[in-house]
Amino acid sequence: MSDAAHLDFMRRAIALSRANIAQGGGPFGAVIVRGGEVVGEGANRVTASHDPTAHAEVVAIRDACRRLGTFSLDGCEIYTSCEPCPMCLSAIYWARLDRIWFANTKADAAAIDFDDHFIYDEFAKDPADRAIPMKGMLRDEALVAFRDWESAPDRIPY
């Protein structure tokens, strides 16, 4: 793909972020591309949809998966107006995107009160020491479902 195409896709992500501000949303946009064609787009919809997971990258992943009829976006790249937060980065890995292109950095986001440093710090802690307490229970009972899935002849690995 040409340098001009990469710039065009990033400019589209930035345009989505700016248009979203005009609609009362956050300043984030994302575009997913496969083979030089846009297959998914998204803007931050957290406040509009009352969904804390509706970040631009997640919205774009959902759009691309719906359009392509798949849960795997291997062969695709994402252009996002800002370096992905921990949730979005995880979603990008789960979706198996091939490459991430970003404009603003996480430091730029932190400077306007979108600071994810606390979450990065929490990941490094033992689960018992996190701000939201975590305690395991009923593992033996829950493992039955894992065994059922593992032995299911029609399971779809992902």
Side-chain angles (χ1 to χ4, degrees), residues 71-158:
F71 58 83
S72 178
L73 296 177
D74 57 323
C76 297
E77 299 180 358
I78 188 166
Y79 297 79
T80 180
S81 65
C82 187
E83 186 176 355
C85 75
M87 177 185 69
C88 293
L89 186 58
S90 297
I92 289 166
Y93 275 99
W94 276 110
R96 297 180 180 89
L97 288 150
D98 291 356
R99 182 176 300 236
I100 302 166
W101 302 86
F102 67 92
N104 292 316
T105 67
K106 63 184 176 183
D108 297 328
I112 60 166
D113 294 328
F114 290 96
D115 190 353
D116 299 317
H117 189 75
F118 169 77
I119 298 171
Y120 286 109
D121 289 346
E122 285 292 294
F123 286 159
K125 293 179 183 177
D126 184 86
D129 296 329
R130 293 181 179 151
I132 298 174
M134 296 177 69
K135 182 167 175 49
M137 59 190 299
L138 298 178
R139 180 172 178 251
D140 290 340
E141 291 180 34
L143 279 172
V144 173
F146 279 17
R147 286 189 215 107
D148 292 346
W149 185 86
E150 190 176 36
S151 64
D154 58 346
R155 74 175 186 258
I156 300 171
Y158 62 95

Side-chain angles (χ1 to χ4, degrees), residues 3 44 113:
D3 288 344
N44 183 286
D113 294 328

Side-chain angles (χ1 to χ4, degrees), residues 5-22:
H6 291 300
L7 295 172
D8 287 344
F9 293 132
M10 184 58 75
R11 286 189 176 110
R12 176 65 185 152
I14 294 167
L16 287 168
S17 74
R18 296 194 70 204
N20 200 52
I21 296 166

Side-chain angles (χ1 to χ4, degrees), residues 51-66:
D51 178 356
T53 69
H55 290 201
E57 296 90 338
V58 173
V59 173
I61 287 168
R62 291 172 181 165
D63 185 41
C65 288
R66 185 174 38 256

Side-chain angles (χ1 to χ4, degrees), residues 28-62:
F28 304 97
V31 175
I32 296 177
V33 174
R34 183 172 73 178
E37 299 292 325
V38 173
V39 296
E41 291 187 336
N44 183 286
R45 307 292 302 149
V46 169
T47 57
S49 65
H50 308 289
D51 178 356
T53 69
H55 290 201
E57 296 90 338
V58 173
V59 173
I61 287 168
R62 291 172 181 165

